[in-house]
Amino acid sequence: MRSIWKGAISFGLVTIPVKLYSATEQKDISFHQVHREDGGRIKYKRVCSVDGEEVPYADIAKGYELPGGEIVVLTDEDFADLPLTTSRRIDVLQFTPAEQLDPILFNKSYYLEPETNGVKPYILLRDALERTGQVAIVKIAMRQRESLAALRIRDGVFVLETMLWPDEVRVPGFDFTDEDVEVRPQELKMAESLIQTMAGEFDPADYHDAYREALQQVIEAKVAGKEVVRPEAPEEAKPAVDLMAALRASVEAAKKEREGAKPAAGQAAAGKAEKDEKPEKKRRTRKTA
């Protein structure tokens, strides 16, 4: 990995120099816009909407549009006076239990690696957070933006989770939340039974991006000159008319699916045991003879 930012964690009077790395990456298959006839790349020009002339990048400024449609043009001097810190510091503001942070606030994840002279204080703060069960709330200025962030530990490494500001989270103003909907106790108990039947330990490796894999096969088939076969689309599920019946059927289906996996595992174990017993029978036969 390549570091994208260098700075220091400021923890009281302790300074921990660190490097910052992107902790995640998107695996989407990217495409270019091309001319259908010859595959030529489509390019865009920066054209002024007033005079229709192409504008050099050096002459492009930032503009803020007012409600009436007027544009306020901002220059580099305007941005120079803003109170955005230029110091590369990750300032620790407070410590708090992890369960108090709503996951909707998390924006992007980064790994923090200590510089050579910062390994000991890095490990000290890491171990202290693990022992107390706390996460650090910090503030960081990066890419012309000041962000609130959480500093937590994953696999022995600090993870910096940049967070949205409270006014960036939308309020879910949906009408159905004000409706008086009656849920029968039997329906609630059946739903709980379905949840318990489907409950299990979460392992991300059990899931995969079926669409991306299918798209990659289409691309590989195109490259190889093979005929592309369109997979059959699954039937769309229809809304359940009887909620209780649908829940009961779902519980039964989940139970059958789990019970079906047990005999397969038992047969595999029996087959292995049978293979292990065969050599013993042959040796006993030779001894008897």
Side-chain angles (χ1 to χ4, degrees):
M1 292 188 294
R2 183 178 179 181
S3 64
I4 60 176
W5 186 89
K6 288 185 179 182
I9 301 173
S10 180
F11 169 45
L13 298 179
V14 179
T15 300
I16 310 172
V18 293
K19 299 177 183 177
L20 184 139
Y21 302 82
S22 292
T24 60
E25 59 179 342
Q26 294 291 332
K27 291 289 187 178
D28 292 340
I29 298 176
S30 59
F31 296 97
H32 297 293
Q33 289 188 334
V34 297
H35 188 195
R36 187 186 301 274
E37 300 298 328
D38 54 20
R41 291 279 299 274
I42 304 300
K43 296 183 178 181
Y44 294 92
K45 294 182 179 181
R46 302 180 182 92
V47 178
C48 176
S49 61
V50 177
D51 58 19
E53 297 293 329
E54 186 175 356
V55 182
Y57 187 79
D59 294 340
I60 296 178
K62 290 183 172 65
Y64 180 80
E65 185 174 359
L66 299 176
E70 302 90 345
I71 299 293
V72 177
V73 180
L74 299 176
T75 64
D76 293 339
E77 290 75 15
D78 295 323
F79 287 98
D81 296 332
L82 295 179
L84 182 64
T85 176
T86 56
S87 62
R88 292 177 170 266
R89 291 192 317 180
I90 302 173
D91 293 318
V92 177
L93 306 177
Q94 72 170 86
F95 297 95
T96 189
E99 58 268 17
Q100 292 187 3
L101 300 180
D102 189 340
I104 199 172
L105 293 172
F106 293 145
N107 188 18
K108 188 169 175 54
S109 304
Y110 300 92
Y111 288 133
L112 292 180
E113 178 192 24
E115 298 275 14
T116 304
N117 59 337
V119 173
K120 185 174 181 178
Y122 182 102
I123 294 176
L124 172 65
L125 180 57
R126 181 198 67 184
D127 293 349
L129 284 178
E130 285 184 330
R131 288 169 64 92
T132 58
Q134 302 279 307
V135 296
I137 303 300
V138 303
K139 186 181 286 187
I140 180 175
M142 186 172 57
R143 294 174 179 171
Q144 297 298 314
R145 175 181 170 89
E146 189 176 61
S147 297
L148 199 64
L151 203 60
R152 64 182 182 88
I153 301 160
R154 183 177 188 271
D155 296 334
V157 176
F158 275 129
V159 176
L160 182 81
E161 302 273 7
T162 57
M163 300 165 62
L164 301 172
W165 296 101
D167 59 354
E168 294 179 314
V169 179
R170 294 176 175 176
V171 178
F174 302 123
D175 295 336
F176 81 91
T177 57
D178 298 328
E179 296 179 7
D180 187 12
V181 180
E182 181 182 0
V183 177
R184 294 185 297 169
Q186 301 94 325
E187 294 171 338
L188 185 59
K189 188 171 294 185
M190 189 62 67
E192 292 173 352
S193 176
L194 175 58
I195 292 173
Q196 293 172 359
T197 305
M198 299 178 65
E201 295 293 330
F202 174 65
D203 184 0
D206 292 339
Y207 305 93
H208 59 94
D209 189 345
Y211 176 80
R212 177 164 57 90
E213 293 174 358
L215 181 57
Q216 187 64 49
Q217 292 177 1
V218 171
I219 294 173
E220 292 174 357
K222 281 278 190 178
V223 173
K226 299 178 182 178
E227 181 182 356
V228 180
V229 180
R230 185 189 300 272
E232 295 184 2
E235 295 183 1
E236 294 185 3
K238 297 180 179 179
V241 178
D242 189 339
L243 181 59
M244 191 65 179
L247 288 170
R248 185 179 290 108
S250 300
V251 172
E252 293 298 326
K255 287 182 179 179
K256 288 181 180 179
E257 184 176 353
R258 289 208 167 185
E259 290 174 357
K262 292 179 181 178
Q267 292 174 2
K272 183 178 183 302
E274 185 178 351
K275 290 181 181 179
D276 294 341
E277 289 177 0
K278 286 183 179 179
E280 291 294 331
K281 290 181 179 180
K282 290 182 179 177
R283 284 197 290 271
R284 284 200 294 273
T285 303
R286 285 196 291 268
K287 287 179 181 179
T288 304

